[in-house]
């Protein structure tokens, strides 16, 4: 048996060792004279027992017990307290603090010490098992045994707490989902397969979450997710679509390939419902409606949400076909040098011709951004714009630049840099002539990953300029002007159209001054009047874009425009 003796008195330590030696008990000893040293020895090594002196100069033995109680060791050990004093209260305090036995030093005999050690070890094992079974029972009451998710009881509690502490202007979404035809799966393959399927589903869904959602199994094949502190309805529909996405591939359970699906019902707080019970009731009603329509459906309890969701869903489905059907085209808005009154470049703006109507990007880009569609659409726009620039150059307009908008979601496209490089080679265009516009909200997104930030740097290394779009609408913080390799800032049209207001005028003035001092180039967009151009001139800003100079034009008009202004 390996025993650690913690006692500041060397003679007492010797006495203990000799007593055990006399009793013919085979022990090895390690010893130390203070609580702190004892604790660090316990942290690095497994002992079978600790003999702990009560009274020591810096910290007493009880303090060691308390520290161990608050920060338990993975290799916990039985502890026998030794004290010079025979006091019942002290003995009780030591036992309460976690010791398994208490001995008075002056009365120790070999057999008594040995008995105490054996008893302490037995008691320690019993206590350990008691704690484990308590923990097990607690887990049973809070977690679902099959999947390890929260159970209904703890989910209900968490829901109430979330509602009480909800900050203003934030929402809670409750997403309920339930496996389609689960009964059929259970009946066909048996309950063990059904259970395994549920476990696999949970694993896949967990893999698709961001980690801040509360995920619970409410019972059977019904699951709930709570998203708290969200600001947009779309956050919930995105999660719902991601959940459904995890069902696309069949599940393999005991050599059976099972194609499963789920129906989803969603409700929001505070929208029409005022309590946590209503939130779940409404999500339940939405789930019922989803099931009624058929398999693999998503329903919102709130009517307006449902309308918006169905509309977006339809757009998303159409978007998937739009590329193949060649329904996109780019228009080009000239950017002028107002000193020479000549065009120095263009911004490519995407348009979607759908059933004889032209859709503008605000109507479909946000939807494309929520799925991977934006990656293909974005690549298409880049290639198209680069080829257009190549064409204009071949017509003699060598100094033109082309600006292309890049969505935040496109930065997760790992092949983006390679793709752009390929287009530049194919059309023989220099990277320096391409400017990639990204919004500050995109660059600053709380979801932006190291990888996405890295892509911005890679694009810059490739030689493309990086422009910060819509400056003045978000945080407009100087810190990320330094964090990212930004060559140009585009001052947003929402500021420009109000330039006559004295406050805005001052603000634009200050922004321009600040950007100049950082050596960052400037484009002012949204110039709608002659007086605005004059204002830009007074600021010393050369590059201006806006309806006053030219609206975005169809590619067939470009050469004509350039004949006068190129
Ligand atoms: P943006 O980058 O701020 O683009 C400029 C928008 O301002 C364009 O709207 C343009 O038509 C409009 N505009 C230009 N001059 C004026 C003006 O004087 N007054 C006013 N009120 N507006 C002006 P558009 O084409 O509807 O594009 C909207 C947004 O969609 C763009 O905003 C851009 O963020 C995004 N977008 C456009 N094309 C693409 C694309 O190919 N890919 C991506 N990811 N986003 C795109
Ligand atoms: Ca832009
Ligand atoms: Ca802009």
């Amino acid at each position: 048996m390996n025993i650690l003796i913690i006692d500041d008195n060397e003679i007492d330590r010797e006495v203990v060792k000799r007593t055990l030696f006399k009793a013919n008990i085979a022990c090895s000893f390690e010893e130390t004279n203070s609580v702190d040293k004892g604790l660090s020895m316990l942290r690095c090594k497994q002992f079978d027992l600790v003999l702990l002196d009560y009274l020591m100069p810096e910290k007493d033995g009880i303090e060691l017990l308390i520290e161990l109680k608050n920060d338990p060791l993975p290799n916990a050990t039985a502890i026998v307290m030794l004290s010079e004093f025979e006091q019942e209260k002290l003995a009780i305090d030591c036992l309460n603090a976690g010791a398994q036995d208490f001995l008075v030093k002056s009365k120790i005999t070999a057999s008594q010490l040995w008995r105490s050690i054996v008893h302490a070890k037995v008691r320690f094992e019993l206590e350990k098992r008691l704690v484990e079974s308590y923990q097990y029972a607690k887990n049973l009451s809070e977690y679902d045994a099959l999947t390890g998710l929260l159970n209904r009881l703890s989910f209900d509690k968490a829901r109430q707490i979330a509602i009480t502490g909800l900050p203003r202007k934030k929402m809670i979404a409750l997403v309920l989902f339930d496996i389609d035809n689960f009964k059929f799966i259970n009946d066909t393959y048996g309950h063990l397969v059904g259970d395994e399927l549920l476990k696999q589903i949970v694993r896949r869904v967990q893999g698709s979450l961001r980690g801040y959602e509360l995920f619970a199994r409410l019972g059977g094949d019904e699951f709930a997710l709570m998203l708290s502190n969200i600001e947009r309805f779309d956050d919930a529909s995105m999660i719902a679509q991601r959940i459904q996405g995890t069902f696309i591939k069949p599940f393999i359970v005991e050599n059976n390939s099972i194609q499963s699906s789920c129906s989803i019902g969603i409700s929001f707080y505070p929208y029409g419902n005022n309590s946590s019970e209503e939130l779940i009731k409404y999500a339940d009603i939405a789930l019922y409606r989803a099931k009624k329509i058929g398999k693999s459906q998503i329903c919102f309890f709130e009517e307006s949400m449902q309308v918006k969701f169905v509309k977006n869903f339809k757009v998303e489905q159409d978007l998937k076909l739009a590329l193949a059907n060649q329904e996109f085209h780019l228009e080009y808005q000239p950017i002028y040098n107002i000193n020479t009154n000549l065009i120095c470049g263009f911004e490519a703006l995407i348009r979607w011709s759908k059933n004889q109507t032209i859709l503008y990007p605000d109507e479909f880009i946000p939807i494309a951004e929520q799925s991977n569609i934006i990656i293909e659409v974005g690549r298409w726009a880049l290639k198209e714009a680069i080829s257009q620039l190549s064409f204009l150059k071949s017509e003699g307009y060598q100094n033109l630049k082309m600006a292309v908008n890049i969505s935040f979601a496109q930065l997760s496209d790992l092949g983006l840099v390679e793709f752009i490089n390929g287009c530049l080679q194919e059309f023989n265009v220099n990277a320096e002539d391409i400017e990639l516009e990204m919004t500050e909200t995109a660059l600053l997104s709380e979801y932006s990953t190291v990888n996405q930030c890295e892509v911005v740097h890679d694009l810059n290394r490739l030689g493309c300029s990086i422009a910060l779009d819509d400056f003045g609408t978000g945080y407009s913080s100087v810190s990320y002007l330094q964090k990212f390799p930004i060559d140009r800032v585009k001052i947003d049209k929402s500021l420009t159209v109000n330039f006559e207001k004295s406050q805005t005028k001052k603000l634009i003035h200050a922004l321009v001054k600040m950007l100049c001092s950082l050596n960052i180039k400037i484009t002012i967009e949204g110039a709608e009047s002659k007086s605005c151009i004059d204002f830009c001139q007074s600021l010393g800003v050369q590059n201006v874009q806006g309806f006053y100079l030219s609206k975005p034009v169809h590619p067939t008009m470009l050469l004509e425009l350039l004949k006068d202004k190129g």
Side-chain angles (χ1 to χ4, degrees):
M1 188 177 334
N2 188 13
I3 296 179
L4 173 64
I5 307 174
I6 307 174
D7 194 326
D8 62 310
N9 187 326
E10 197 184 338
I11 298 172
D12 285 354
R13 296 201 298 264
E14 276 311 309
V15 170
V16 168
K17 282 196 278 183
R18 224 171 302 144
T19 313
L20 283 171
F21 184 69
K22 260 196 259 159
N24 258 341
I25 296 159
C27 297
S28 63
F29 295 100
E30 286 188 43
E31 47 194 284
T32 181
N33 58 6
S34 80
V35 163
D36 287 334
K37 287 186 212 153
L39 273 172
S40 52
M41 289 169 84
L42 282 168
R43 290 220 158 83
C44 15
K45 198 169 166 187
Q46 171 79 63
F47 292 92
D48 297 309
L49 185 104
V50 180
L51 292 172
L52 175 63
D53 182 25
Y54 164 66
L55 198 64
M56 280 179 282
E58 279 157 21
K59 290 182 180 172
D60 65 36
I62 292 199
E63 288 184 56
L64 179 138
L65 296 174
I66 295 170
E67 287 205 32
L68 285 184
K69 208 173 198 172
N70 289 326
D71 184 12
L73 299 170
N75 50 347
T77 315
I79 298 175
V80 175
M81 283 301 271
L82 304 174
S83 167
E84 272 115 77
F85 317 104
E86 185 170 12
Q87 284 174 1
E88 198 182 324
K89 173 154 184 336
L90 180 62
I92 292 174
D93 284 350
C94 291
L95 295 179
N96 280 342
Q100 275 72 37
D101 206 354
F102 181 92
L103 291 178
V104 180
K105 284 184 181 177
S106 58
K107 293 190 175 169
I108 291 179
T109 62
S111 65
Q112 193 199 21
L113 181 55
W114 178 239
R115 213 176 327 119
S116 169
I117 288 175
V118 173
H119 280 180
K121 283 184 70 69
V122 171
R123 201 167 302 144
F124 177 76
E125 280 308 316
L126 281 175
E127 283 172 13
K128 200 165 112 186
R129 247 180 280 154
L130 208 68
V131 169
E132 279 168 1
S133 72
Y134 166 75
Q135 202 57 43
Y136 179 69
K138 190 164 173 285
N139 281 353
L140 271 188
S141 68
E142 288 178 356
Y143 295 97
D144 170 51
L146 180 70
T147 59
L149 295 177
L150 290 179
N151 64 17
R152 182 183 278 273
L153 196 75
S154 21
F155 187 71
D156 283 348
K157 265 193 230 156
R159 209 177 63 236
Q160 275 154 15
I161 294 169
I163 284 193
T164 337
L166 187 68
R168 270 188 45 200
K169 293 195 178 158
K170 300 271 181 161
M171 300 185 288
I172 290 176
L174 191 74
V175 179
L176 281 189
F177 73 94
D178 160 313
I179 318 303
D180 296 325
N181 294 343
F182 188 67
K183 187 176 175 316
F184 172 80
I185 293 167
N186 258 340
D187 292 346
T188 316
Y189 301 100
H191 284 267
L192 286 179
V193 169
D195 281 357
E196 183 54 34
L197 175 66
L198 291 179
K199 283 204 254 181
Q200 287 196 22
I201 290 173
V202 166
R203 245 176 278 140
R204 280 199 198 170
V205 172
Q206 270 169 333
S208 77
L209 299 176
R210 293 229 161 87
Y212 57 78
E213 308 85 348
L214 213 60
F215 189 10
R217 180 179 178 211
L218 300 188
D221 60 334
E222 194 174 309
F223 296 88
L225 278 161
M226 186 172 69
L227 321 177
S228 35
N229 295 345
I230 59 169
E231 285 175 8
R232 305 172 320 148
F233 294 106
D234 292 343
D235 292 342
S237 60
M238 255 162 81
I239 294 259
Q241 282 171 299
R242 252 190 269 144
I243 293 174
Q244 287 199 327
T246 65
F247 284 76
I248 294 173
K249 272 199 339 218
F251 295 88
I252 309 294
V253 187
E254 291 183 4
N255 295 327
N256 303 297
S257 170
I258 304 177
Q259 186 65 64
S260 184
S261 62
C262 74
S263 303
I264 301 182
I266 304 171
S267 73
F268 293 92
Y269 175 89
Y271 278 85
N273 54 58
N274 296 313
S275 69
S276 125
E277 283 70 36
E278 278 180 344
L279 181 65
I280 198 148
K281 185 173 92 188
Y282 292 163
D284 227 350
I285 295 174
L287 176 60
Y288 168 76
R289 289 181 196 156
K291 288 243 160 215
K292 217 163 80 172
I293 316 175
K295 278 190 213 162
S296 210
Q297 296 292 326
I298 298 172
C299 269
F300 288 80
F301 177 76
E302 291 76 10
E303 180 66 25
S304 56
M305 249 89 285
Q306 182 67 11
V307 171
K308 187 172 166 218
F309 176 74
V310 170
K311 186 172 158 247
N312 286 357
F313 189 75
K314 178 95 184 46
V315 172
E316 196 183 315
Q317 298 307 309
D318 292 346
L319 268 175
K320 286 184 183 156
L321 303 172
L323 260 184
N325 293 343
Q326 301 186 317
E327 292 169 358
F328 293 117
H329 73 271
L330 295 180
E331 286 191 349
Y332 298 89
Q333 185 174 32
I335 299 159
Y336 277 75
N337 176 335
I338 52 170
N339 289 344
T340 59
N341 201 25
L342 295 176
I343 293 172
C344 52
F346 291 95
E347 177 178 0
L349 295 161
I350 194 163
R351 305 288 179 254
W352 180 12
S353 319
K354 187 163 161 271
N355 310 329
Q356 275 99 44
T357 51
I358 304 261
L359 294 185
Y360 285 83
D362 292 342
E363 297 171 79
F364 61 90
I365 290 288
I367 300 170
E369 281 173 345
Q370 283 180 20
S371 56
N372 279 335
I373 303 173
I374 188 66
I375 293 190
E376 284 310 306
V377 174
R379 283 185 174 208
W380 175 85
L382 276 160
K383 188 169 185 178
E384 183 70 16
I386 292 172
S387 96
Q388 184 63 251
L389 181 66
S390 168
F391 167 72
L392 295 177
K393 281 183 184 284
S394 72
E395 292 291 314
Y397 301 100
Q398 288 297 337
N399 296 326
L400 289 178
K401 311 256 177 205
M402 181 64 76
V404 187
N405 292 286
I406 302 278
S407 288
F408 167 63
Q410 286 177 261
L411 298 179
S412 339
D413 176 0
L414 291 177
L416 183 68
V417 183
E418 201 46 54
F419 177 81
I420 295 181
N421 196 20
C423 295
L424 294 171
Q425 313 257 322
E426 181 179 346
F427 297 104
N428 197 22
V429 167
N430 287 330
E432 290 72 32
D433 291 333
I434 300 298
E435 191 156 87
L436 303 171
E437 299 191 359
M438 298 171 211
T439 64
E440 54 178 336
T441 32
L443 290 183
L444 254 193
S445 163
E446 57 182 308
Y447 302 132
S448 65
T449 61
V450 176
N451 197 6
Q452 284 159 330
C453 297
E454 208 34 54
V455 170
V456 180
H457 286 274
D458 287 345
L459 290 168
N460 183 249
R461 272 179 225 126
L462 183 65
C464 298
S465 315
I466 307 292
L468 190 60
D469 208 349
D470 299 354
F471 196 72
T473 52
Y475 302 96
S476 309
S477 135
V478 187
S479 69
Y480 59 85
L481 286 176
Q482 286 163 334
K483 187 171 158 203
F484 292 100
I486 288 165
D487 304 289
R488 178 183 295 277
V489 157
K490 296 191 80 172
I491 295 185
D492 191 62
K493 51 190 173 297
S494 63
L495 285 182
T496 320
V497 293
N498 289 315
F499 86 96
E500 268 158 338
K501 289 190 188 152
S502 82
Q503 260 327 84
T504 318
K505 203 171 228 166
K506 279 187 205 153
L507 180 62
I508 299 178
H509 201 98
L511 283 178
V512 168
K513 243 181 150 171
M514 185 240 336
L515 293 167
C516 283
S517 70
L518 291 171
N519 265 336
I520 294 176
K521 294 182 209 134
I522 303 170
T523 301
I524 291 188
E525 59 174 31
E528 293 185 348
S529 61
K530 171 78 175 70
S531 57
C532 185
I533 305 289
D534 294 343
F535 172 60
C536 296
Q537 215 134 28
S538 76
L539 293 172
V541 173
Q542 286 181 6
N543 297 136
V544 183
Q545 182 182 357
F547 290 169
Y548 178 78
L549 297 163
S550 168
K551 289 207 164 177
V553 298
H554 196 269
T556 49
M557 308 289 291
L558 289 177
L559 286 180
E560 186 134 347
L561 194 68
L562 284 168
K563 240 195 306 182
D564 295 340
K565 302 284 184 183

